[in-house]
């Protein structure tokens, strides 16, 4: 029990490193202010009784999740690579914890950061839009950015859940790159490439009429395509949600295996 309490303190220490940075609070201010400003602009630009909250909630959530992924990747990449660049990794490893335990504490702290930002985004987005526009159901979308048929809490929660799974995979990839190569720049660049180039790469692979295409990571990053009874991101390669989650779980295990294996075996030359 005492060891568990001490390990919780280790995780708390990693969280303190994150939240003591001014940059973290600047990131959080973006997550809070963006939905408020967007909703106010829509209201002042002519929002009336025909304007409903759900499409706007989804539009704002779409952009906020992109930001949350980027912010979490930055934190994830710095939490390991930053220890090497600042020369503090040796001080960290003299503690009575194994390298695996230390790396796990950093990973948990990173995921707690992502979860906290996601919860804040959900609360602020819901409150501001329900307060300004009410909760009348509507089947329209905004600019075609989000799917139609978003009519209530259940749809929004499902959307957030699917997006958070995508966040976990991308951030875990960034964490792996940071652990394996000690380069925060490389980890951030490749992870953001995952985020923004995923749809393009998915479209290219979709043109290949091969069975192995279904096992490519990019084909499964957009789980929101299963909402409203969808068959996946690529109609020409119909899949199920369970299959996509299975593939993502396999990649998740591979990314973490590489992270822990490299970090445990690499010589520390800070």
């Amino acid at each position: 029990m005492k060891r568990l309490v001490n390990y919780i303190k280790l995780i708390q220490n990693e969280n303190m490193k994150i939240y003591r940075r001014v940059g973290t609070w600047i990131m959080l201010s973006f997550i809070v202010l963006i939905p408020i400003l967007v909703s106010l602009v829509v209201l002042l630009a002519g929002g009336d009784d025909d304007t409903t909250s759900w499409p706007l909630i989804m539009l704002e959530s779409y952009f906020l999740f992109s930001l949350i992924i980027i912010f979490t990747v930055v934190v994830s990449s710095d939490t390991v690579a930053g220890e090497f660049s600042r020369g503090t990794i040796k001080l960290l490893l003299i503690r009575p914890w194994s390298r695996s335990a230390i790396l796990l504490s950093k990973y948990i702290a990173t995921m707690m950061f992502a979860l906290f930002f996601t919860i804040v985004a959900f609360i602020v987005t819901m409150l501001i839009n329900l307060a300004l526009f009410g909760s009348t159901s509507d089947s329209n979308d905004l600019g075609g950015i989000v799917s139609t048929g978003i009519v209530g809490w259940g749809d929004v929660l499902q959307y957030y859940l699917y997006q958070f799974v995508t966040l976990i995979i991308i951030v875990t990839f960034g964490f792996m790159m940071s652990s394996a190569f000690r380069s925060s720049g490389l980890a951030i660049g490749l992870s953001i490439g995952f985020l923004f180039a995923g749809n393009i790469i998915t479209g290219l692979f979709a043109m290949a009429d091969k069975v192995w295409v279904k096992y490519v990571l990019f084909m499964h990053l957009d789980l929101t395509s299963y909402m409203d009874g969808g068959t996946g991101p690529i109609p020409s390669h119909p899949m199920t949600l369970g299959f996509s989650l299975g593939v993502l779980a396999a990649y998740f295990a591979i990314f973490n295996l590489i992270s822990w294996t490299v970090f445990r075996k690499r010589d520390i030359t800070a």
Side-chain angles (χ1 to χ4, degrees), residues 4 7-16 18-19 72 75-76 79-80 100-116 164 167-168 171-172 175 252 256 260:
L4 176 60
Y7 192 71
I8 291 175
K9 291 181 179 180
L10 179 63
I11 297 174
Q12 290 176 337
N13 182 63
E14 293 298 330
N15 276 294
M16 289 172 61
I18 294 174
Y19 293 102
T72 309
V75 170
S76 171
T79 192
V80 177
S100 295
I102 290 173
L103 193 63
L104 179 61
S105 70
K106 290 181 174 294
Y107 185 79
I108 292 174
T110 300
M111 288 303 164
M112 291 175 66
F113 170 90
L115 182 60
F116 172 60
F164 195 77
L167 180 152
I168 290 174
V171 171
T172 302
F175 194 82
F252 175 82
N256 278 301
W260 263 259

Side-chain angles (χ1 to χ4, degrees), residues 131-202:
L132 293 179
F133 305 111
S135 58
T136 304
S137 298
D138 190 274
S139 60
N140 296 323
D141 61 15
L142 293 176
I145 294 179
V146 295
S147 61
T148 61
I150 305 301
V151 296
W153 292 85
D155 295 313
V156 176
L157 288 172
Q158 185 181 25
Y159 178 83
Y160 268 75
L161 177 61
Y162 287 168
Q163 288 286 61
F164 195 77
V165 172
T166 300
L167 180 152
I168 290 174
I169 299 301
I170 296 177
V171 171
T172 302
F173 173 79
F175 194 82
M176 176 196 71
M177 299 302 295
S178 177
S179 302
F181 298 102
R182 306 182 188 179
S183 172
S184 58
L186 179 64
I188 293 171
L190 290 178
S191 299
I192 293 177
F194 256 62
L195 175 62
F196 291 107
N199 289 336
I200 298 175
I201 297 176
T202 297

